[in-house]
Amino acid sequence: AQNHVSIYHSCQGLSGTPSNYRSYHQSLSFDERAFYGVDGFILSVIKEKNSQIRALDFNKDASNPVDKYLENLFRGQANSRTRAIMDISATFRGYGNLNVAKALAGQVPKISPEIEYILYFDQHDILCALNVKTHKTIVLATSDPKVIDKTLGCSPEQRFTYYDQAHTIGTDLAQGLTAHSLALVDPARTDLSRYVQGLMRMRKLAS
C-alpha cells in the first residue's frame, strides 16, 4: 500500500479506525480533529450488540488442540448465523491456516448445513477456499466479491471466513448482512486498536 500511494499524483484515504494514522504514507496529511469520536462511536456500537463474553483456554498439550478448541467454542458461542472467526489474539499461531480451515470444516455443518466453503489465507498470503465436504482447495487470489461468488458458485451466506491475526487488519471480504462472528482476544495482550481493527472486518457492524 505504501508503494501504491507513491505512484499517483494525488491520493485520498478512508479509514474507520484512524488511530494508526502514523503508519500512513508520509505524503498523506491527517487532521486528527476531523476524527474525534470515531473510536468512541465504534465502541458504543460494539456495546450495543450486547455480545456474550466467554473465557476459553487453548490447551496446546491436548490431542488435536485446534479441533478441541473449536469444538468447545462452537458448542458454546456459535449459532446458525455465525460466518467468521477473527483470531485477534493469534490463538492458532503456528498451526497453519489450512489446518485451522480443515478443523473449521468439521464444525460449521453443526451450525449451518448451507455453508459450503471456508475462506482463509495460505502461507503465501493468497486467499483460498476450502470445500467443506471434499477438503479440496480453490485458489481465489482476489477479494472481489463478484469474482468469488462466480468462482465458488455460492453467496457470502454460504461461506465461513477465518481471519488469522495478520488479516484482522485491513482485510475486506464480503459478509452476509445478517452474519455473526466470533472474536478471539487475550485481555492481557490485545490492545484496543487491534481489538477494534479486528471487529471491523465485519463491515456492516453498525447495521
Side-chain angles (χ1 to χ4, degrees):
Q2 291 279 352
N3 293 334
H4 199 58
V5 170
S6 299
I7 67 176
Y8 297 102
H9 175 69
S10 64
C11 182
Q12 292 182 332
L14 178 66
S15 175
T17 50
S19 58
N20 65 336
Y21 72 91
R22 292 179 180 84
S23 66
Y24 299 170
H25 192 274
Q26 66 270 16
S27 67
L28 296 176
S29 60
F30 180 82
D31 184 358
E32 293 185 62
R33 296 171 298 177
F35 289 88
Y36 286 161
V38 172
D39 284 347
F41 169 72
I42 295 173
L43 289 174
S44 68
V45 168
I46 295 170
K47 289 179 180 179
E48 289 174 2
K49 297 294 181 181
N50 196 29
S51 300
Q52 182 182 359
I53 298 174
R54 179 188 177 196
L56 185 61
D57 290 330
F58 182 79
N59 184 3
K60 295 182 179 180
D61 297 323
S63 175
N64 301 316
V66 175
D67 296 82
K68 292 288 180 61
Y69 183 88
L70 289 175
E71 182 180 353
N72 291 331
L73 179 66
F74 271 65
R75 185 187 301 118
Q77 300 294 114
N79 59 52
S80 61
R81 293 162 61 183
T82 303
R83 291 296 182 274
I85 283 183
M86 284 88 74
D87 190 7
I88 302 171
S89 58
T91 299
F92 303 125
R93 177 181 293 161
Y95 290 92
N97 291 351
L98 175 57
N99 291 328
V100 177
K102 288 180 178 179
L104 284 167
Q107 297 301 321
V108 294
K110 300 175 184 179
I111 60 170
S112 177
E114 72 172 348
I115 300 176
E116 298 181 15
Y117 290 94
I118 308 294
L119 300 189
Y120 71 98
F121 288 88
D122 69 8
Q123 68 272 26
H124 302 297
D125 204 32
I126 297 174
L127 183 65
C128 299
L130 179 78
N131 187 289
V132 170
K133 293 182 179 179
T134 67
H135 281 200
K136 290 184 177 180
T137 296
I138 297 175
V139 177
L140 298 171
T142 180
S143 59
D144 187 317
K146 292 182 180 179
V147 175
I148 295 176
D149 288 354
K150 183 176 181 180
T151 301
L152 300 181
C154 64
S155 66
E157 288 79 10
Q158 295 169 288
R159 303 191 288 266
F160 192 101
T161 306
Y162 169 56
Y163 298 89
D164 60 276
Q165 187 190 48
H167 293 94
T168 57
I169 296 178
T171 304
D172 192 2
L173 296 174
Q175 299 290 339
L177 292 177
T178 61
H180 288 187
S181 65
L182 301 173
L184 308 182
V185 300
D186 182 341
R189 297 184 300 167
T190 304
D191 61 38
L192 179 61
S193 175
R194 183 169 285 279
Y195 173 67
V196 172
Q197 284 278 357
L199 296 187
M200 286 302 293
R201 295 318 98 210
M202 304 302 286
R203 294 309 202 188
K204 303 294 183 179
L205 187 65
S207 300

